[in-house]
Amino acid sequence: MLPKGILMTEITPDPTSATAATATCARCDRTLSGDDRVEADDRVFCRSCHETLRHQIELSLGAMSSDINYPMAFVGAVLGGAAGAALWWGFTVLTKISFGLIAVAIGYAVGWGTIRFAGDKRSRGLQVLSAAVALASYFVATYLVNATFINKALAERGDGQRIAMLPTDPALFARVVAVGFGLMDFVFLAIVL
Ligand SMILES: [Zn+2]
């Protein structure tokens, strides 16, 4: 065993474990003693600095979720949803592939539009708003895709009936959306065969 003094000089202190011995506050450089220390992530602060920082974070978080322009956020959500639904519709009709991941794209587009139009703010209310708009966009996209394939099937059968691409009738809307993936699968199967 080496004498203690030699050990102390030869071993370079590990920055992570050294903080435990003689730590100073990461903000005011005061030497921390006793229980006057709060560890936050990889840093140590004295109690008063930690309080100050926490207060600052709370203030900036508060500013982020206050004065939210919900009408504008709604406009952004709907624009994002419309773009996502149009993308999904176009993709599905062109490729005839029901690509479930596009549903994620709708959610992403709605979230992006919401945050952009709300002035880069976030809140629980905005989350609920964009989730609701994303769900509605998902149904509209499903309607558009289903209506397109139903109309195509009708045309191929020589049937003169067509489903309106603008979903104005709620009952028809619900029925076309409910046809859902059962019919989609059938149509895709028919195409493959
Ligand atoms: Zn401090």
Side-chain angles (χ1 to χ4, degrees):
M1 279 292 281
L2 290 162
K4 225 178 183 174
I6 293 171
L7 260 180
M8 297 268 284
T9 52
E10 284 191 348
I11 294 174
T12 41
D14 174 6
T16 51
S17 69
T19 52
T22 53
T24 54
C25 173
R27 187 164 171 269
C28 69
D29 278 336
R30 193 164 78 195
T31 306
L32 300 172
S33 56
D35 65 348
D36 183 25
R37 50 181 294 145
V38 183
E39 282 178 43
D41 294 326
D42 56 337
R43 290 165 174 216
V44 200
F45 299 101
C46 70
R47 287 205 176 277
S48 64
C49 282
H50 189 258
E51 267 308 300
T52 310
L53 288 172
R54 208 184 62 184
H55 186 61
Q56 283 173 357
I57 290 167
E58 279 170 5
L59 276 182
S60 58
L61 281 181
M64 249 177 120
S65 57
S66 67
D67 300 328
I68 290 173
N69 190 337
Y70 277 98
M72 278 307 279
F74 181 71
V75 169
V78 169
L79 285 179
L87 180 77
W88 189 5
W89 180 28
F91 183 87
T92 311
V93 169
L94 285 177
T95 63
K96 298 178 179 61
I97 298 168
S98 178
F99 190 44
L101 264 182
I102 303 284
V104 178
I106 288 184
Y108 183 82
V110 170
W112 189 85
T114 308
I115 290 168
R116 259 314 112 83
F117 278 67
D120 276 329
K121 297 196 173 194
R122 284 150 216 267
S123 76
R124 180 52 62 101
L126 286 180
Q127 279 176 10
V128 173
L129 174 86
S130 55
V133 172
L135 194 66
S137 308
Y138 176 83
F139 282 130
V140 169
T142 305
Y143 178 91
L144 291 175
V145 170
N146 288 355
T148 302
F149 284 112
I150 289 169
N151 282 342
K152 200 175 270 181
L154 288 172
E156 277 162 14
R157 231 188 289 159
D159 195 319
Q161 271 192 307
R162 291 293 179 274
I163 290 171
M165 291 315 285
L166 264 179
T168 45
D169 180 354
L172 177 70
F173 181 78
R175 260 171 53 214
V176 170
V177 170
V179 166
F181 298 106
L183 177 106
M184 297 282 286
D185 291 342
F186 177 74
V187 170
F188 293 140
L189 191 67
I191 289 161
V192 171
L193 287 175

